[in-house]
């Protein structure tokens, strides 16, 4: 156990974060050099528990010599998802790791009256970008923490980490808009495609109709995609980054399947990385990042085999 992680905690997506984001870049400065993990693995260390990041994650590094180091990144009780790890060492060099989510905390709303006074004061002085008062209607500690992350994304992360023109495009898009973009492959920029697809009423736009016909061919009902926005996608990206496997329940199966369809469609346009349109390049990087966040090693309830470094999920599928 040490304070900082020993293995990349971004599911191998660090290069996409580096290519896409600005400044703090999801704390990329805290990603350890790959050689750190390999030196410790070859020295005989098999399992490491790290903190500091307030993230739930399992990272695995295997050296040329066949030695494996598993880094279990411990979540925080004060960030999304609030949880702790329970380690049980069992027979035959097996470790059982469970993640216990703290969804209920007595008196979590004890100081909400004071926060309400703060909100009124900020309104009275004309403060811009005030936090959303709806957080004070939270019925549980987990709901409050979800609101907290959403406000961090809205008020801090979007401005600090995302190219403004690209985040503007995402924030002005519905899920259906992104579905349309994912199905259109031509020389027009994404900005122009969005503009043209919305210029006429949506039902009569040729761009939109062609894209939605393609989606329906694959059994996708476009109406499902209008229940979320580009901001929801970015928020869920941060939920997956912070909670990994634990975020899936909060996002929901339907939304996850819609994200998967869209990201696979965009990634089939990988030639966009070679084009001059930065929007297309950024979109492909975003979808590659989302795919990595959706496909990490087991991080909820899992087993580590110290004999060979294997990590196996023990989560019971519904």
């Amino acid at each position: 156990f040490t304070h900082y992680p020993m293995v990349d905690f971004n599911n191998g997506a660090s290069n996409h974060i580096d290519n896409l984001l600005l400044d703090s870049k999801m704390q990329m400065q805290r990603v350890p050099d790959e050689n750190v993990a390999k030196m410790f693995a070859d020295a005989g260390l098999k399992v490491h528990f790290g903190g500091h990041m307030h993230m739930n994650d399992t990272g695995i590094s295997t050296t040329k010599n066949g030695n494996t180091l598993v880094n279990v990144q411990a979540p925080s009780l004060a960030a999304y998802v609030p949880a702790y790890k329970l380690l049980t060492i069992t027979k035959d060099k097996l470790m059982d790791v469970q993640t216990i989510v703290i969804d209920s905390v007595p008196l979590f709303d004890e100081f909400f009256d004071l926060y309400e006074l703060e909100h009124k004061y900020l309104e009275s002085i004309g403060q811009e970008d005030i936090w959303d008062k709806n957080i004070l209607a939270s019925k549980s500690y987990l709901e409050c923490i979800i609101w907290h992350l959403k406000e961090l994304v809205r008020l801090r992360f979007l401005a600090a980490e995302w190219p403004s023109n690209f985040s503007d495009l995402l924030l002005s898009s519905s899920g259906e808009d992104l579905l349309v973009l994912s199905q259109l492959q031509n020389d027009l920029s994404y900005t122009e495609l969005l503009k043209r697809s919305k210029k006429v009423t949506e039902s009569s736009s040729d761009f939109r109709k062609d894209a939605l016909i393609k989606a329906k061919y694959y059994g996708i009902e476009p109406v499902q995609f209008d229940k979320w926005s580009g901001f929801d996608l970015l928020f869920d990206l941060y939920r997956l980054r912070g909670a990994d496997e634990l975020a899936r329940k909060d996002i929901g199966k339907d939304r996850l399947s819609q994200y998967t369809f869209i990201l696979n469609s965009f990634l089939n346009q990988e030639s966009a990385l070679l084009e001059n349109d930065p929007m297309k390049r950024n979109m492909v990087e975003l979808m590659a990042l989302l795919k990595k966040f959706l496909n990490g090693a087991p991080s909820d309830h899992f087993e580590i085999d110290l004999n060979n470094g294997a990590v196996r999920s023990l989560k019971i599928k519904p």
Side-chain angles (χ1 to χ4, degrees):
F1 298 80
T2 67
H3 187 71
Y4 293 110
M6 283 189 179
V7 178
D8 184 350
F9 45 81
N10 287 319
N11 293 354
S14 291
N15 61 317
H16 300 298
I17 295 172
D18 204 35
N19 291 339
L20 176 61
L21 301 186
L22 309 170
D23 299 329
S24 57
K25 295 184 177 182
M26 293 184 173
Q27 297 192 69
M28 277 285 291
Q29 74 273 19
R30 289 298 183 197
V31 176
D33 188 286
E34 189 177 358
N35 289 325
V36 171
K38 297 195 180 306
M39 282 192 292
F40 276 105
D42 282 338
L45 189 64
K46 298 180 182 294
V47 179
H48 173 258
F49 282 76
H52 186 78
M53 301 308 303
H54 292 193
M55 292 172 60
N56 178 63
D57 181 69
T58 305
I60 304 170
S61 179
T62 301
T63 71
K64 293 179 180 179
N65 298 327
N67 297 311
T68 297
L69 171 61
V70 178
N71 185 87
V72 180
Q73 202 58 35
S76 167
L77 297 177
Y80 182 81
V81 167
Y84 64 92
K85 298 286 187 181
L86 177 61
L87 169 66
T88 305
I89 301 175
T90 60
K91 61 179 181 179
D92 299 327
K93 294 187 177 181
L94 297 179
M95 285 185 168
D96 182 308
V97 183
Q98 291 176 271
T99 311
I100 314 298
V101 175
I102 304 298
D103 53 4
S104 177
V105 174
L107 303 178
F108 79 94
D109 56 354
E110 182 79 354
F111 299 109
F112 276 16
D113 289 345
L114 297 178
Y115 281 117
E116 189 163 3
L117 288 176
E118 179 195 290
H119 195 276
K120 287 179 180 177
Y121 171 72
L122 293 174
E123 285 184 320
S124 72
I125 63 172
Q127 176 74 38
E128 295 182 0
D129 296 329
I130 305 176
W131 49 270
D132 193 324
K133 189 180 176 182
N134 285 315
I135 190 174
L136 301 181
S138 300
K139 301 300 183 185
S140 69
Y141 181 62
L142 179 58
E143 184 181 349
C144 181
I145 288 292
I146 291 172
W147 261 111
H148 177 253
L149 177 61
K150 180 178 285 189
E151 288 299 88
L152 282 177
V153 173
R154 183 175 72 90
L155 297 174
R156 186 185 303 176
F157 298 154
L158 280 175
E161 298 185 336
W162 292 80
S164 58
N165 56 352
F166 184 57
S167 63
D168 287 346
L169 179 140
L170 291 172
L171 295 178
S172 66
S173 300
S174 67
E176 187 176 296
D177 291 333
L178 294 176
L179 173 64
V180 169
L181 287 181
S182 75
Q183 299 305 303
L184 295 173
Q185 300 189 36
N186 55 45
D187 295 333
L188 292 174
S189 70
Y190 281 163
T191 307
E192 183 62 26
L193 283 172
L194 269 182
K195 190 186 300 181
R196 292 197 185 190
S197 72
K198 291 180 175 182
K199 192 171 185 179
V200 194
T201 58
E202 293 187 1
S203 60
S204 61
S205 165
D206 289 339
F207 280 95
R208 212 168 190 88
K209 283 200 296 189
D210 288 348
L212 299 183
I213 287 171
K214 286 183 180 180
K216 284 186 175 182
Y217 176 80
Y218 293 103
I220 298 296
E221 287 299 328
V223 67
Q224 299 172 345
F225 288 74
D226 242 4
K227 296 178 181 178
W228 53 272
S229 65
F231 175 80
D232 292 320
L233 184 145
L234 289 175
F235 172 49
D236 287 340
L237 183 80
Y238 279 95
R239 288 209 275 192
L240 288 164
R241 176 185 180 268
D244 201 75
E245 198 175 356
L246 300 178
R248 288 177 166 271
K249 180 181 177 182
D250 294 329
I251 298 171
K253 288 183 179 179
D254 289 344
R255 181 80 59 83
L256 288 170
S257 66
Q258 291 157 26
Y259 288 162
T260 299
F261 178 81
I262 283 183
L263 72 85
N264 285 331
S265 298
F266 275 117
L267 292 178
N268 285 334
Q269 304 178 27
E270 285 200 49
S271 60
L273 288 172
L274 304 176
E275 297 182 21
N276 293 323
D277 182 3
M279 295 293 196
K280 290 187 177 182
R281 293 198 303 273
N282 285 345
M283 189 68 79
V284 172
E285 294 285 5
L286 170 61
M287 294 302 155
L289 176 58
L290 179 58
K291 186 172 185 176
K292 290 286 180 68
F293 281 178
L294 283 168
N295 293 282
S299 62
D300 184 353
H301 186 195
F302 56 96
E303 178 182 81
I304 304 172
D305 189 335
L306 298 183
N307 295 293
N308 54 22
V311 176
R312 293 180 286 269
S313 175
L314 297 178
K315 189 175 180 180
I316 299 174
K317 294 183 180 179

